[in-house]
Amino acid sequence: TLTTGTNIVLRNINFVGGMHQFLPESKPMLDELLEAMNTYPKLVIRIEGHICCNEYPGDGMDLETGINNLSEARAKAIRNYLLSYGIAQERVLYKGFGHSAPIYPYPEKTEEERKQNRRVEIKIISK
């Protein structure tokens, strides 16, 4: 159920380490998000990027650009994917949170903890 203010974690959207390039296994989840946007034409979302493995709350370096905006660049990559399939830009906001809202504290103890911190969430803004 889509409720305004709800956050949905997209567990199967993964990226090349330190970059904003999707891994091939991300395609089904990206397509599912696209389908939801098409099914609910008034849906407005904010894509929220998070990173792992950072002692400080700031963002990590995107190895593709050399800029410290990795969580934002990943959120924007998902936005660009949706826009490339015709979703209106005013329906898809994005924001990077760096390591400011980890599920597990630094240093993460396992790969599973790193993976859960390195996540993308979708916040329902309006429907």
Side-chain angles (χ1 to χ4, degrees), residues 50-104:
H50 301 269
I51 63 168
C52 74
C53 316
N54 198 351
E55 184 175 2
Y56 304 102
D59 218 333
M61 181 181 289
D62 184 336
L63 299 176
E64 292 175 79
T65 64
I67 300 171
N68 284 332
N69 71 341
L70 183 58
S71 66
E72 180 180 334
R74 287 176 171 176
K76 186 176 181 182
I78 295 169
R79 178 183 192 259
N80 289 343
Y81 179 85
L82 295 173
L83 298 184
S84 75
Y85 284 93
I87 302 300
Q89 64 182 4
E90 58 272 5
R91 294 181 57 208
V92 189
L93 311 171
Y94 68 96
K95 183 174 182 176
F97 286 87
H99 198 256
S100 65
I103 294 171
Y104 294 97

